[in-house]
Amino acid sequence: MRLFSPHVLSLAALGAMTLTGACTPLRGHQGYVVDPDLVNSVQVGVDNRQTVAKVLGKPTFTSQFNEGEWFYVSRDTRYFAYNTPKPKDQTVLRIRFDDKGVVNQVQRTGVEQVASITPYGRITPTLGRKRSFFRDIFGNIGAVGAGAGQGGPGGGGGGGGRP
């Protein structure tokens, strides 16, 4: 006499695999893939923009106002199922160039620079008066064209209102 049929045992094994698979941490990688040998080959005072681009490739982003800084960003995350990924490792490589395009500084930072930002509620606080949804939509009715002769929107301006 059997206690469990083969079908019951296979269903139990499948259920156990499903439960243990759901709790397995998932890993993710975003950004640049850091190769330590290539990063260490960039030398201050020797390399320029062209050689850095050949060795490391296109940067993740550059400085906003000039070509003085290049950034290579790499981040490894770990998370469970539907949770928010949490950074486990991060490398930011910052390469500064002088006016002639020669490397004058190579700086690395890590996961200690990651900031956790918590949004402030569902409404962004603003200065000024609070208006309702309908007042925002219909509040401009009757105000269109007001002050047109006084140099306001739609008016010619400049005349001061007298002929």
Side-chain angles (χ1 to χ4, degrees):
M1 182 168 147
R2 288 191 214 182
L3 291 171
F4 297 107
S5 71
H7 296 293
V8 171
L9 288 175
S10 63
L11 285 174
L14 181 64
M17 287 189 302
T18 303
L19 288 176
T20 58
C23 295
T24 303
L26 302 171
R27 296 177 184 185
H29 178 81
Q30 301 162 330
Y32 184 73
V33 178
V34 176
D35 184 351
D37 294 332
L38 292 177
V39 170
N40 292 333
S41 71
V42 176
Q43 297 179 5
V44 175
V46 176
D47 287 310
N48 58 26
R49 286 188 182 98
Q50 289 79 22
T51 59
V52 171
K54 282 183 183 178
V55 171
L56 299 179
K58 184 178 177 183
T60 307
F61 61 92
T62 61
S63 59
Q64 178 121 12
F65 299 109
N66 60 17
E67 285 289 317
E69 295 180 348
W70 286 4
F71 295 89
Y72 295 86
V73 181
S74 171
R75 180 183 283 182
D76 292 321
T77 57
R78 180 175 263 174
Y79 55 98
F80 291 100
Y82 300 105
N83 294 338
T84 304
K86 302 216 182 316
K88 291 298 175 192
D89 187 32
Q90 175 174 302
T91 302
V92 177
L93 181 66
R94 176 177 157 189
I95 300 177
R96 285 186 165 179
F97 298 98
D98 61 11
D99 295 336
K100 297 176 185 173
V102 178
V103 175
N104 67 2
Q105 183 183 23
V106 177
Q107 180 184 11
R108 288 186 213 186
T109 57
V111 74
E112 71 277 356
Q113 294 290 321
V114 176
S116 178
I117 300 171
T118 306
Y120 178 77
R122 296 184 67 187
I123 299 172
T124 304
T126 59
L127 298 174
R129 54 181 183 227
K130 296 183 180 191
R131 300 189 315 189
S132 68
F133 172 75
F134 292 107
R135 179 160 224 159
D136 279 342
I137 292 177
F138 301 114
N140 204 24
I141 294 177
V144 177
Q150 302 297 322
R162 290 189 170 185

